[in-house]
Amino acid sequence: MAWRWQTLLLLWIFTDGALSRQWAAWMPQSISAFRDTCVAIPCSFDYPNDIRPSVIHGIWYFNSPYPKNFPPVVLKTKTNTAHDNYMGRTKLLGDIQESNCTLQIDRLSMDLQGKYYFRVDLGGYNQYTYSEHANLYMLDEPFVSLPQEMVSGSEAELTCRVPDNCPDMKPSVNWMEIEGLEHHSVYGSLEESRSTWTQVSTLKFIPSYKNNGQRLSCKVSFPGADMEYKGFVTMNVKYAPRIVDINSSFETTEGTQVVFVCVVDSNPVSRVGWYKEGALIREDVTGNLTLELEYVTFNHDGIYVCAAENEYGRTNKTMGLAVMYPPWKPSVNASVTAMEGETITILCNTQGNPDPIISIVKDKQVLTSVIFENEAVFEIPAITHEHDGEYWCTAENQYGQSNSSFNLTVVFSPLVLLESKCTVSKDTVQCMCTVKANPEPYILFELPEMNLTVSEGDPEFVYSQRNGYIVSSILTLQKDRDLPKPILCSATNLYGKKVHELPFQDTDTLVWAKIGPVGAVVVFVILVAVGGYFIKTREKKNMTESSSFIQTEASPTSCSGNGKKNLGKIESGEISSLEGK
């Protein structure tokens, strides 16, 4: 390594030395070395041209250029002596007779750190202490430098600078803990600055977020010496946010409390926000943002987004919240009134999660049903009076049930039912006209032969019973020799009129028709048995009376009238009076 300083000194001689010579010295202003190693301080000097010394001597001082202050002598060439701290540690590397005052110091310790001055002795009074001096710094570790900014994905370059200023100890530089670095490589170079030398080891790699906070070390060792020095740096890698943890999509029920968690890793810290359908719900500059829903309703159902952003990028993740709830009360048609033959559409809407089963029901009979939908439609192409009534819309899922009702009122013209007829008994004729209609009909009984009409406006002869849309009007007539046939039933409302001839039916015929042939035989047998019983009873009673000593006279039984009550019967004279009406 001696060639380094010889080359530099020759350069100095050919430049400054070519000019007029004055008192001057050259040495580095600062130089560094590791503790316990050695250092060579390059030095050269000059003196005026008119001085012709026969022998040149030199003295190195520590921390002061003035001999009168008695500074520690680092090395005195004339006597080869030194201060106790430097005894056996120092020597000149250059030829002082050639103006080379390069000094080597071995076994460096912290107390040797400081300023070093050179004094030349040219004999007699030609002694001079140069004001130029070198500052010696002791190192315990190499200097490791980081780039101003390290960004994930962009190449980074770290340097480890090691002083190499001792010809007897050449440093070896190695990077430690670099196995996890992507695409790493190491380059070495030797730099010179003002006659001081530095080994520079350059580490190049592509950092990632994984390297943020990672510690790297540069180790310096000296072959043949049991000593090493390490310099450490912690990497500050800038990178865009990463969402490292977020809730998975899940289901819950109305009324519960839920907490969403979004954990973000970034450098620097990101601005994190929770969004729903593009609307910001909560935001903060943090690495962990929670969103708490105290009381969950169906409005909270949907997709939630956690978004994070810093100056190096942006990212987001989504999650879904499914709020399960029973169906709402269904929305159905308002109650309507429709005419027979019209088309009616029944709509039933609701909402639930999961989608419910919707049924439209009438008289406990399911008319239509849809599964996992929010709307049911039922159409009646041509309604009849049978469609009149109350309809229910029911919606059900595993979380509950709800229902709504509406009424369909069908208006229709009168319809005379089959049970309408005239029944002939012994004394009367009773005619019943049963009509179904909506609105309620006006019922008349017409007797064309007698040019007579009777309605319930004549309560003495006609009375009516009502049950829903069915009206039964009953006309009672006194039985004459000749029945006033035909008897017509006329029913009228806003939507039509119906005239129906009432059939006649004898009560005796009706009875035997109901009993039938077998029944008639049974009745005959019963009558014969009853008659035999009464004959035997009478005979027994006569025998008892004839044997009695006391005879009593039976009181005659009086009977006035036939005992029958005539309710609402029309006599011949009454018919005349009705005709007169």
Side-chain angles (χ1 to χ4, degrees):
M1 294 179 58
W3 64 270
R4 299 179 187 171
W5 290 280
Q6 292 172 357
T7 302
L8 291 172
L9 290 173
L10 287 173
L11 180 62
W12 180 83
I13 290 172
F14 284 116
T15 55
D16 292 354
L19 303 175
S20 59
R21 296 169 63 182
Q22 299 294 329
W23 294 107
W26 186 94
M27 63 187 71
Q29 290 183 352
S30 65
I31 191 168
S32 59
F34 288 107
R35 181 174 45 85
D36 297 327
T37 65
C38 63
V39 66
I41 303 174
C43 173
S44 61
F45 61 93
D46 201 1
Y47 49 87
N49 293 333
D50 56 348
I51 300 176
R52 298 285 187 271
S54 58
V55 178
I56 301 175
H57 294 287
I59 304 174
W60 279 94
Y61 289 120
F62 178 66
N63 271 347
S64 177
Y66 306 111
K68 63 181 181 179
N69 292 337
F70 303 103
V73 176
V74 177
L75 177 64
K76 187 175 184 178
T77 62
K78 188 174 184 178
T79 58
N80 199 25
T81 58
H83 187 274
D84 290 343
N85 281 351
Y86 294 96
M87 188 63 68
R89 289 183 172 185
T90 58
K91 62 182 177 182
L92 286 181
L93 294 183
D95 185 355
I96 197 169
Q97 306 305 317
E98 299 293 333
S99 298
N100 188 340
C101 52
T102 300
L103 172 69
Q104 179 173 322
I105 307 173
D106 297 327
R107 303 190 309 279
L108 294 172
S109 59
M110 292 301 297
D111 57 343
L112 303 184
Q113 179 173 280
K115 299 176 180 179
Y116 287 81
Y117 295 87
F118 179 70
R119 180 180 177 85
V120 66
D121 181 2
L122 302 178
Y125 293 100
N126 295 318
Q127 298 180 17
Y128 186 82
T129 302
Y130 297 97
S131 61
E132 294 86 351
H133 62 278
N135 287 286
L136 176 61
Y137 296 97
M138 298 298 172
L139 302 179
D140 283 324
E141 61 184 31
F143 179 70
V144 183
S145 62
L146 291 166
Q148 185 175 1
E149 184 178 66
M150 298 177 66
V151 180
S152 177
S154 299
E155 186 180 64
E157 188 175 288
L158 278 68
T159 58
C160 180
R161 306 180 69 86
V162 178
D164 186 6
N165 294 307
C166 181
D168 295 342
M169 300 182 71
K170 182 172 178 62
S172 175
V173 184
N174 293 284
W175 288 95
M176 310 299 291
E177 304 169 10
I178 63 174
E179 292 77 10
L181 302 180
E182 294 183 8
H183 309 292
H184 67 273
S185 58
V186 177
Y187 304 90
S189 63
L190 187 64
E191 293 182 356
E192 183 274 331
S193 176
R194 301 181 65 84
S195 296
T196 62
W197 300 87
T198 304
Q199 280 200 39
V200 180
S201 181
T202 302
L203 171 64
K204 293 183 178 181
F205 65 100
I206 306 297
S208 72
Y209 70 90
K210 298 177 183 178
N211 303 128
N212 185 47
Q214 180 179 343
R215 192 171 76 159
L216 295 177
S217 64
C218 173
K219 184 180 76 170
V220 180
S221 60
F222 294 88
D226 187 18
M227 61 182 69
E228 63 178 32
Y229 305 88
K230 289 183 179 180
F232 298 91
V233 290
T234 300
M235 289 186 287
N236 182 19
V237 181
K238 308 296 185 181
Y239 55 95
R242 300 182 312 116
I243 297 177
V244 296
D245 190 21
I246 189 173
N247 304 65
S248 300
S249 298
F250 65 97
E251 295 180 356
T252 189
T253 56
E254 278 192 319
T256 58
Q257 178 184 13
V258 299
V259 177
F260 302 154
V261 179
C262 184
V263 180
V264 178
D265 173 37
S266 66
N267 187 25
V269 178
S270 296
R271 180 172 294 277
V272 185
W274 277 105
Y275 297 82
K276 181 177 186 288
E277 296 175 359
L280 178 63
I281 304 173
R282 189 185 178 199
E283 186 180 49
D284 198 1
V285 178
T286 181
N288 187 340
L289 186 64
T290 60
L291 176 62
E292 184 173 343
L293 305 178
E294 292 284 349
Y295 188 91
V296 173
T297 68
F298 71 93
N299 289 320
H300 294 120
D301 187 281
I303 301 298
Y304 289 79
V305 179
C306 174
E309 182 177 14
N310 64 12
E311 55 263 45
Y312 297 97
R314 175 183 174 88
T315 188
N316 65 76
K317 282 189 177 181
T318 61
M319 59 149 294
L321 175 65
V323 180
M324 317 306 286
Y325 55 96
W328 296 354
K329 185 176 180 64
S331 173
V332 296
N333 308 57
S335 295
V336 296
T337 299
M339 291 182 61
E340 273 192 323
E342 290 183 344
T343 297
I344 293 295
T345 300
I346 301 173
L347 296 176
C348 177
N349 295 283
T350 187
Q351 181 174 319
N353 197 11
D355 289 334
I357 299 173
I358 303 177
S359 300
I360 297 177
V361 181
K362 180 178 184 291
D363 299 331
K364 298 182 180 181
Q365 180 181 356
V366 177
L367 304 179
T368 187
S369 183
V370 293
I371 299 175
F372 304 139
E373 294 186 20
N374 287 326
E375 181 180 80
V377 179
F378 181 66
E379 184 177 282
I380 307 174
I383 61 171
T384 68
H385 62 274
E386 294 179 351
H387 294 118
D388 187 281
E390 184 178 42
Y391 291 76
W392 286 89
C393 175
T394 65
E396 181 178 9
N397 63 18
Q398 59 262 47
Y399 296 96
Q401 181 188 48
S402 61
N403 54 66
S404 297
S405 67
F406 81 101
N407 288 303
L408 172 61
T409 302
V410 181
V411 292
F412 52 95
S413 60
L415 176 65
V416 179
L417 304 184
L418 294 176
E419 55 262 36
S420 299
K421 62 180 178 292
C422 289
T423 303
V424 181
S425 62
K426 181 178 180 181
D427 299 318
T428 61
V429 176
Q430 198 170 59
C431 295
M432 181 173 67
C433 182
T434 301
V435 178
K436 185 174 185 179
N438 187 25
E440 182 178 311
Y442 179 67
I443 299 177
L444 288 174
F445 290 97
E446 299 181 6
L447 288 72
E449 288 187 0
M450 304 178 69
N451 194 24
L452 178 66
T453 60
V454 186
S455 70
E456 65 177 340
D458 302 300
E460 184 178 358
F461 308 107
V462 178
Y463 72 94
S464 299
Q465 297 176 342
R466 291 168 175 79
N467 182 15
Y469 294 151
I470 297 177
V471 179
S472 295
S473 289
I474 300 175
L475 169 67
T476 302
L477 298 174
Q478 180 67 42
K479 184 178 178 183
D480 287 338
R481 260 180 226 174
D482 296 323
L483 292 174
K485 296 182 179 180
I487 297 179
L488 305 177
C489 169
S490 173
T492 307
N493 67 7
L494 293 174
Y495 299 97
K497 178 178 180 181
K498 183 71 173 180
V499 178
H500 179 72
E501 180 179 347
L502 299 177
F504 279 79
Q505 193 168 18
D506 194 298
T507 54
D508 295 336
T509 305
L510 181 62
V511 170
W512 291 113
K514 290 182 179 180
I515 292 176
V518 176
V521 173
V522 173
V523 171
F524 177 76
V525 172
I526 293 173
L527 290 175
V528 170
V530 172
Y533 171 79
F534 276 109
I535 292 173
K536 289 183 178 181
T537 301
R538 175 64 65 181
E539 290 177 351
K540 184 177 180 180
K541 181 177 180 181
N542 291 338
M543 290 176 63
T544 302
E545 289 178 351
S546 62
S547 60
S548 176
F549 291 101
I550 302 173
Q551 295 181 352
T552 59
E553 184 176 335
S555 300
T557 300
S558 62
C559 181
S560 62
N562 56 16
K564 294 182 180 178
K565 188 175 182 181
N566 182 10
L567 296 176
K569 296 178 182 178
I570 299 179
E571 304 289 349
S572 298
E574 291 173 337
I575 292 175
S576 300
S577 66
L578 285 172
E579 290 175 349
K581 291 181 180 180

